[in-house]
Amino acid sequence: MMDGRRPEEPVPAVVLGVRPTPIRLLGQGPTEVALRAVGAVLGDDGPTVVAEDGLDARSGADVRDRLGRGEAVLVLAQRPDAAPFYPVAGPIDEAPATGRRAALGSRAVGPGRLVFCQQRLARAAAAGDLVSCDLLSDLLAWVSEPRPLPTREALVKDDGRSLWRYSWDDETRR
């Protein structure tokens, strides 16, 4: 290699992770190891994270209760048979490990905010995969820190073209 390393040597990298933020985990398995790998502090406070394949009747009821109290919840990848316990109606599709079909998003649920990701991250992040760790860190930041609300204004240029101008207010999104 051009930098003097042998081809079998790993490329050095630093995973910054999240600030030490308390996270309340529902479920166990590789998700617990993955969360710790990116710097999350597991306990009884902070936003709730549902472990991959950790959604069941009990955790689903807890999630709905927390969303009803205005909290933020991150639900990681779940099997399709967990759909009855999901806090919003609709099917759960098995997403591939990566790619365009790996569903990711956020939506208001009552006064709370649901962040969800159907991309399977836990095992890879627990093993130190940088992309999985980075995405998991971003998801934790998304659920932990309020984001500013964008406002959209329709404008028409002198030549007749339409465009949208976005700006952000001090009000924050749940």
Side-chain angles (χ1 to χ4, degrees):
M1 297 186 80
M2 295 181 65
D3 63 1
R5 284 183 288 110
R6 292 188 317 265
E8 66 275 5
E9 288 183 84
V11 176
V14 176
V15 177
L16 298 176
V18 295
R19 291 183 302 213
T21 302
I23 298 293
R24 182 173 183 273
L25 178 62
L26 301 179
Q28 298 175 339
T31 301
E32 182 176 351
V33 176
L35 289 170
R36 291 184 194 282
V38 298
V41 178
L42 305 182
D44 294 329
D45 298 317
T48 298
V49 175
V50 178
E52 284 186 10
D53 300 325
L55 190 62
D56 56 19
R58 183 175 175 194
S59 60
D62 192 359
V63 165
R64 284 188 298 280
D65 182 55
R66 290 179 173 279
L67 290 167
R69 291 194 313 247
E71 296 181 24
V73 176
L74 169 60
V75 177
L76 294 175
Q78 303 299 316
R79 290 182 312 274
D81 61 355
F85 313 118
Y86 215 77
V88 294
I92 297 175
D93 291 332
E94 283 285 353
T98 59
R100 296 184 325 191
R101 294 200 56 224
L104 171 70
S106 174
R107 66 180 283 184
V109 177
R113 183 167 51 94
L114 174 66
V115 176
F116 53 91
C117 178
Q118 267 302 100
Q119 182 169 333
R120 299 231 167 238
L121 302 171
R123 288 191 195 287
D129 176 73
L130 293 177
V131 173
S132 298
C133 286
D134 192 40
L135 182 53
L136 186 57
S137 293
D138 287 348
L139 288 167
L140 292 178
W142 195 0
V143 78
S144 299
E145 302 167 9
R147 298 287 192 255
L149 269 175
T151 56
R152 183 172 76 170
E153 177 184 5
L155 300 174
V156 178
K157 297 194 55 90
D158 292 339
D159 62 5
R161 290 181 292 156
S162 298
L163 60 98
W164 295 105
R165 179 173 65 185
Y166 291 89
S167 60
W168 284 262
D169 295 329
D170 290 334
E171 183 182 2
T172 56
R173 177 185 311 276
R174 284 196 197 278

